[in-house]
Amino acid sequence: MRFKPLQSASLFTKFQLNLKSEPSFSPFNTFIMASQIQTLSSQTPATNADNDGDDTLCSSVITNLPSEPEAAATLGRPIGYLTGEAHIERAWAHWNSLGRPKLIVAPMVDNSELPFRMLCRKYGAQAAYTPMLHSRIFGESEKYRSEEFTTCKEDRPLFVQFCANDPDILLESARKVEPYCDYVDINFGCPQRIARRGNYGAFLMDKLPLVKSLVEKLSQNLTVPVSCKIRIFPDLHDTINYAKMLEEAGCSLLAVHGRTRDEKDGKKIRANWQIIKAVREAVRIPVIANGNIRYVEDAWQCLEETGTEGVLSAEALLENPALFAGYRTPEWAPPGVCREGDLDQAELAVEYLRMCEKYPVPWRMVRSHVHKLLGEWFRVHPSVREDFNSQYKLTFEFLYGLVDRLRELGVKIPLHVKDNDSIEMSANGNSA
């Protein structure tokens, strides 16, 4: 039997970000002495002149973003008047109201979009982040908003993440999404060169007055809580001061990636859970951990060792969206410990494609996920990968046919589960 597309979709033109502003640097301790804040903006984005209009799927709008007055009327009073103990109590009350999710899909540029989030939720994810959205472009471009941010009523709890370097621009964009999410998140953790050029992400660790102003602007003016995702400093004392500053500025939840800005290779450099634990002990708001989550048992171990409220997984989920349900890729399935399960990545790829038909997204995202899910299968039959890479205009028919072809060639790479254990895991990490 061959897989058939659920429906057809029309096409839009690709929107390409072009972030070129240059960063400046200042040491951590200059934050105490700083008296002025200078914000920088990136240049206007460029479109891709070589694109022929076959990059983006389009369907009826899933989320209609309201105007700012409409959003305010819907959500009620901003929470910025809360400080001190009231802020801490409100942060925990909100987290408790969401059920204190423990297994969370991390923000991934172009990769944690709605259909992927929904697939991960099906297999045990209890909350999720959107991909990082550029706050200035989000505010300026209706096309960017409609293509890059979609959600649905089942897509909760939801963190909507922005990168930013201007408090007013960030607030303008945040107000557009606050009716549709549980946190507006600020990305202070992206270590890539594009973040250096655009003056955002982890490169704002050198501009702490600006970091503080971004958090304060949102926390004093939004009706939903503000969360922040950070990386650690090389020095523990600096990291603790950083976390406390964010808490005092109004951050209601802190996600800590246990690697420094320069430690980019997650496969070679282990995240430091002890520093995450130290941050959790130093602040009074909820903290969630990021780093070293390869399979679900890692998540439970991380929760135990760090004492955090939850864990994030990113790269491992791209290869295995069923990670939180207890499935492992063969790389992490030692003989005698694990056995073959009843699921494989090809089946997950088909499920993802069906999600994409229901919740259309740009084709570049679809292509990326198919590469990640079927990477090991392509290594067995590189000619299939070559055909995939040479297919400039993707269609669902072609992609379903690609899976059929691999099946017909006899590829069989099942996911694994721990032997004698149920793949159904309870919320506290014990076998069900």
Side-chain angles (χ1 to χ4, degrees), residues 333-379:
V337 175
C338 296
R339 59 177 172 78
E340 292 186 3
D342 57 355
L343 185 67
D344 64 30
Q345 288 157 303
E347 291 173 64
L348 291 173
V350 169
E351 290 191 64
Y352 171 72
L353 293 174
R354 288 174 175 163
M355 290 285 188
C356 289
E357 291 189 82
K358 185 175 182 180
Y359 308 113
V361 292
W363 280 113
R364 70 179 190 277
M365 298 180 185
V366 180
R367 185 183 292 273
S368 175
H369 281 295
V370 171
H371 264 295
K372 287 288 187 179
L373 286 167
L374 298 180
E376 291 300 321
W377 301 59
F378 289 154
R379 289 186 180 91

Side-chain angles (χ1 to χ4, degrees), residues 82-290:
L82 297 177
T83 58
E85 289 297 327
H87 166 60
I88 301 300
E89 290 176 5
R90 206 281 185 173
W92 280 102
H94 184 72
W95 184 245
N96 289 335
S97 74
L98 300 177
R100 301 175 72 157
K102 296 187 181 302
L103 306 176
I104 305 169
V105 180
M108 294 172 278
V109 175
D110 280 352
N111 280 147
S112 56
E113 79 292 351
L114 177 59
F116 185 74
R117 296 196 300 270
M118 296 304 292
L119 179 60
C120 292
R121 289 180 191 276
K122 176 181 177 180
Y123 287 99
Q126 298 166 345
Y129 285 69
T130 68
M132 182 186 72
L133 304 170
H134 192 289
S135 60
R136 179 182 58 77
I137 302 174
F138 193 89
E140 292 176 352
S141 172
E142 182 178 353
K143 180 184 174 78
Y144 179 80
R145 292 193 295 271
S146 66
E147 293 181 1
E148 303 300 323
F149 173 66
T150 55
T151 188
C152 61
K153 64 181 181 179
E154 298 85 5
D155 187 30
R156 305 295 282 269
L158 180 65
F159 296 72
V160 177
Q161 187 183 78
F162 289 101
C163 67
N165 53 35
D166 184 299
D168 292 326
I169 290 174
L170 174 60
L171 178 60
E172 178 186 358
S173 292
R175 280 176 167 160
K176 296 181 186 299
V177 302
E178 63 176 332
Y180 308 105
C181 65
D182 300 286
Y183 290 91
V184 172
D185 185 80
I186 310 175
N187 182 317
F188 295 125
C190 180
Q192 303 303 320
R193 284 177 292 180
I194 192 170
R196 181 192 294 273
R197 293 197 302 269
N199 187 39
Y200 60 78
F203 297 93
L204 295 186
M205 295 168 74
D206 301 304
K207 303 176 178 66
L208 295 185
L210 175 54
V211 167
K212 184 178 181 182
S213 72
L214 290 165
V215 178
E216 287 178 335
K217 191 71 172 185
L218 292 195
S219 66
Q220 293 170 9
N221 291 281
L222 293 183
T223 57
V224 295
V226 179
S227 61
C228 301
K229 188 170 185 295
I230 66 171
R231 283 187 171 239
I232 61 176
F233 282 90
D235 180 81
L236 175 60
H237 181 70
D238 288 345
T239 302
I240 297 299
N241 284 343
Y242 187 29
K244 288 183 175 180
M245 180 202 76
L246 292 168
E247 179 182 68
E248 292 169 2
C251 176
S252 292
L253 182 142
L254 187 62
V256 183
H257 189 137
R259 297 182 180 89
T260 69
R261 187 173 66 191
D262 295 328
E263 294 174 337
K264 300 176 185 179
D265 192 334
K267 292 188 176 181
K268 294 181 179 179
I269 302 172
R270 298 286 289 169
N272 191 323
W273 286 355
Q274 290 307 303
I275 292 181
I276 298 175
K277 179 181 180 180
V279 171
R280 195 269 303 169
E281 293 173 346
V283 300
R284 296 190 294 162
I285 57 176
V287 174
I288 53 181
N290 187 194

Side-chain angles (χ1 to χ4, degrees), residues 14 17-18 45 136 143 204 221 345 370 384 397 409 425:
K14 179 178 179 180
L17 308 186
N18 183 19
R136 179 182 58 77
K143 180 184 174 78
L204 295 186
N221 291 281
Q345 288 157 303
V370 171
V384 180
E397 183 177 8
L409 288 168
M425 309 295 289

